[in-house]
Amino acid sequence: MFDVMRSGNVDISFLTLNYIKMQGGKIEQLLQPIDTDSPRLTNYKALNDDLTQISMGTQDGKPLYIPWGGGAYGIWANMDKLSEDELPQSVNDLWNDRWEGKLSLTKGQIQPNIALALLAMDKSPFHINDLAGDRAGLGKYSKGDTPLQDKVNALYDQVGNFWSKGPVFSDDLLLVASYGPGVSAHNAEGGNWELVPFEEGNTVWLDTINFNRDLSGRKLEAAEIFANYFIGKKVQERVVEGLGMVAASSKVDSNPLIEKNPNFFDPSMFWPPYDNKA
């Protein structure tokens, strides 16, 4: 994404929030602050206040992003085969014999799997990243015989399917890890999968709208009009109904994941811009 944006051929991007400052803020340098008072951003005032000033998306206190829609990286349950009472209550329940061979996790992105293991150990899901400035503390996790490594190994023993490009919701699985939109597409075809409301919560992410640093004049005005449409009610309703995500705007008639859990966007559960050392 950085290479494409650096080419100068991108005016508007839709970045997941933690990408902005990843790898030392490479992408951050390609963006410009949002004029939130622009007369062309009339829908901005309806955005969720908790989503408009997240520090990992700001530069000198000014936002480099407009919230568009978000979701959870969580575990989704096959409700055609499970009842509410049968769902795991804690992340730690994923290690129970009940789920052996019935769980699916991502293969290519190891951070979410490690985050699950850390939550099960009563730590922050991003504990490894939190230690990025502590060389000795981080070094302890690099050894092959740590409690965390054992926890991850045992979790992987539970997995019946590792997915790469996207989650697979096959009939022989009961629990599948997903970012959400893939579940929505499967449910639209007749599936019945729901997010497991772990007592520890779920890690969350936010997709955003961003403007290239070189945009100015009439092109910048056009970009603001474009962005305003995407945070308006029509598109925000589609974010919920078509993608199974959480709308960033309060204009939507229904925002189910937020309504079930008002603390859905807990700041401590937001995916961070992972440090290279972590």
Side-chain angles (χ1 to χ4, degrees):
M1 297 176 83
F2 171 76
D3 290 340
V4 173
M5 295 171 67
R6 185 174 58 173
S7 71
N9 295 320
V10 175
D11 295 327
I12 302 169
S13 55
F14 280 75
L15 295 169
T16 303
L17 185 64
N18 60 317
Y19 292 0
I20 292 176
K21 292 193 177 181
M22 207 172 262
Q23 295 187 353
K26 288 170 64 175
I27 288 181
E28 176 184 15
Q29 305 308 315
L30 301 178
L31 304 177
Q32 66 173 277
I34 304 296
D35 179 5
T36 59
D37 295 321
S38 168
R40 287 164 292 280
L41 288 175
T42 55
N43 292 321
Y44 190 89
K45 61 182 179 294
L47 294 174
N48 182 334
D49 288 339
D50 292 336
L51 301 180
T52 57
Q53 282 290 332
I54 302 172
S55 60
M56 73 176 90
T58 64
Q59 185 181 74
D60 298 326
K62 297 178 180 179
L64 299 172
Y65 71 97
I66 299 171
W68 181 67
Y73 182 90
I75 302 294
W76 302 73
N78 185 347
M79 301 310 293
D80 283 335
K81 296 188 175 183
L82 295 170
S83 67
E84 295 286 343
D85 292 339
E86 292 176 301
L87 296 180
Q89 301 297 307
S90 166
V91 172
N92 208 40
D93 292 340
L94 295 176
W95 281 256
N96 292 349
D97 292 343
R98 171 76 170 85
W99 311 114
E100 184 176 353
K102 302 298 182 182
L103 171 68
S104 178
L105 299 179
T106 174
K107 179 181 181 180
Q109 299 175 335
I110 61 172
Q111 294 97 330
N113 302 336
I114 294 174
L116 287 171
L118 287 166
L119 282 171
M121 297 172 69
D122 296 322
K123 295 183 180 295
S124 159
F126 314 116
H127 179 64
I128 297 295
N129 194 63
D130 297 340
L131 289 173
D134 178 2
R135 188 179 184 89
L138 195 60
K140 292 179 182 178
Y141 284 94
S142 300
K143 300 175 182 178
D145 57 352
T146 65
L148 175 59
Q149 184 66 66
D150 292 341
K151 196 72 172 175
V152 173
N153 290 350
L155 177 64
Y156 278 23
D157 286 341
Q158 296 288 81
V159 175
N161 171 264
F162 281 102
W163 55 263
S164 52
K165 293 183 179 179
V168 177
F169 300 94
S170 58
D171 289 339
D172 60 333
L173 296 170
L174 296 177
L175 302 174
V176 174
S178 174
Y179 288 102
V183 181
S184 181
H186 182 73
N187 284 347
E189 296 176 354
N192 185 21
W193 294 70
E194 293 184 4
L195 181 65
V196 177
F198 290 120
E199 59 188 31
E200 296 89 352
N202 287 293
T203 57
V204 293
W205 47 271
L206 181 68
D207 280 348
T208 69
I209 304 172
N210 329 92
F211 299 152
N212 184 281
R213 66 185 177 191
D214 296 326
L215 268 188
S216 62
R218 295 284 285 173
K219 288 193 76 174
L220 177 57
E221 292 178 6
E224 291 175 335
I225 293 169
F226 172 93
N228 196 56
Y229 172 74
F230 272 81
I231 58 174
K233 182 175 181 179
K234 183 177 180 180
V235 173
Q236 289 290 294
E237 291 279 6
R238 287 163 56 193
V239 166
V240 175
E241 297 171 4
L243 295 175
M245 291 167 53
V246 179
S249 175
S250 61
K251 289 189 174 185
V252 297
D253 293 331
S254 178
N255 218 358
L257 292 175
I258 287 286
E259 290 158 11
K260 286 183 179 179
N261 177 15
N263 295 319
F264 184 87
F265 285 120
D266 181 334
S268 68
M269 300 298 277
F270 257 104
W271 280 96
Y274 261 80
D275 186 278
N276 286 344
K277 292 188 293 296

